[in-house]
Amino acid sequence: MPTTSSTHYSVIIVGGGQAGLAMSHCLQQRAIEHLVIEKRSLVHTWRTQRWDSFCLVTPNWQCNLPGWSYTGSDPHGFMVKDELNAWLAGFVEQVQAPALEGVSVDKVSRAGEADRFTVETSAGRFSADQVVVASGGYHKPVVPRMAERVPSSVVQYHSAQYRNPAQLPEGAVLVVGCGQSGAQIAEDLHLAGRKVFLATGNAPRCARFYRGKDVVDWLADMNYYDMPVTEHPLREGVRDNTNHYVTGRDGGRDIDLRRFALEGMELYGLLTGLDGDLLQFQPNLREHLDHADQVFNSINASIDKFIAGNGIDAPPGVPYVPVWEPAEERTTLGLRASGITSVLWCIGFLPDFAWVDAPVFNGRGEPMHLRGVTQQAGLYFLGLPWLHTWGSGRFSGVARDVLYLAEQIEALQRGRASTPLAAEALA
């Protein structure tokens, strides 16, 4: 571990998750002096912000960090929380990053024509020739203001705080949001025998297995995971997409909210308000379910096309047919009348880069970059969703991103950086 007696480094990496450690690994290979600064502890979010039954949604073979790939006996399985944290602990031990833990970064700036960045932290002021922001894009848990009006008798948690059904008081549970976390937490509670009310959103879903293989395997064969954001039909807009809900639980399966409804889960449209004791919803449950199924069938249809075009021998596939339809659109729900004693807000996180003082952000506070390289020479971002490809914010794609940025860092350090990025290219 470094000491704070050294205050200048060639590179400072902000964030000690898998992205920051992967960058440390690549910089060590290039003998580039650096320091990792982590607000809490290395890779802590996988230990502290995941529920007990959490497991990977992507198969284990996609766990491919620099110098540390999955080598277990179940490459097509899905590591559960303890297995994943053991694997990550091995990565931490392998990298041996020079890191300061328990130190928050309050400001990164580069004043005037100075050729150094100033990094102000809770442990004092540091400086660096280059800075890599590897703190991810999930900083501020989203909880709507209506939460302030929920009766004090009702317990409230964000998904990052949820651990298991026993954590919640007896009674029904309202889960708000049906993205990956919301759908999986709703399932966790449902399987535990809890009465669940689920306020849905416009999240898409996908099949776990189709025509004899995991859908992730098919998409890999189709080179989807190699597609750069610049070639995606939505381009940078894909970064705003909600992740498809599916699960790796018990070997992996689809998540079908319609089937949950058949089994007693109560589904509603988008939660929009709270008037006293009365929850208010938009009448769009059917729209949400139909949209999720349309995406599900569309992905499978693209696999069908790939199989046919390449003459692949695979079992037949059929489109999904809904197993349940809502009889009506219900727009209100009383908390007391329904027996709801707890609410779980599963509507995601917002990025917060206010501490980065540099002219590299758009009007939404999002960094503008090409493959993590910004207009500010020596300032980079890493580990963000679709930084370059689908896997950029996951275990599968960070190695490629880190290698590219390490080359940029080394080039700038040696004074042979490429032409600065054009402003219009980052607009």
Side-chain angles (χ1 to χ4, degrees), residues 215-354:
V215 164
V216 170
D217 288 30
W218 282 122
L219 293 176
D221 293 343
M222 294 161 64
N223 297 320
Y224 177 76
Y225 301 128
D226 295 324
M227 179 195 303
V229 66
T230 52
E231 295 179 12
H232 194 280
L234 298 177
R235 295 180 66 85
E236 287 81 2
V238 72
R239 294 171 179 157
D240 297 328
N241 279 4
T242 302
N243 290 325
H244 301 68
Y245 58 86
V246 67
T247 184
R249 187 165 178 163
D250 300 328
R253 56 173 172 260
D254 301 351
I255 290 183
D256 185 353
L257 301 185
R258 297 181 192 268
R259 188 164 298 281
F260 288 163
L262 281 177
E263 298 167 352
M265 187 182 294
E266 300 277 351
L267 306 184
Y268 285 76
L270 185 72
L271 177 63
T272 57
L274 176 63
D275 184 6
D277 178 66
L278 202 63
L279 296 162
Q280 300 168 330
F281 304 87
Q282 288 186 8
N284 55 5
L285 171 60
R286 185 183 296 273
E287 176 187 330
H288 289 164
L289 296 175
D290 288 347
H291 169 71
D293 292 344
Q294 185 275 324
V295 173
F296 180 102
N297 283 327
S298 175
I299 293 172
N300 289 351
S302 69
I303 295 172
D304 291 337
K305 183 178 179 180
F306 174 76
I307 290 172
N310 289 273
I312 298 172
D313 183 17
V318 294
Y320 171 80
V321 177
V323 298
W324 175 88
E325 294 283 359
E328 60 180 343
E329 291 282 357
R330 297 174 292 180
T331 57
T332 60
L333 177 66
L335 287 168
R336 285 189 297 271
S338 60
I340 292 173
T341 59
S342 51
V343 176
L344 292 174
W345 301 103
C346 303
I347 48 181
F349 297 79
L350 289 174
D352 181 9
F353 295 111

Side-chain angles (χ1 to χ4, degrees), residues 132 153 230 255 357 401:
V132 179
S153 59
T230 52
I255 290 183
D357 183 9
D401 294 344

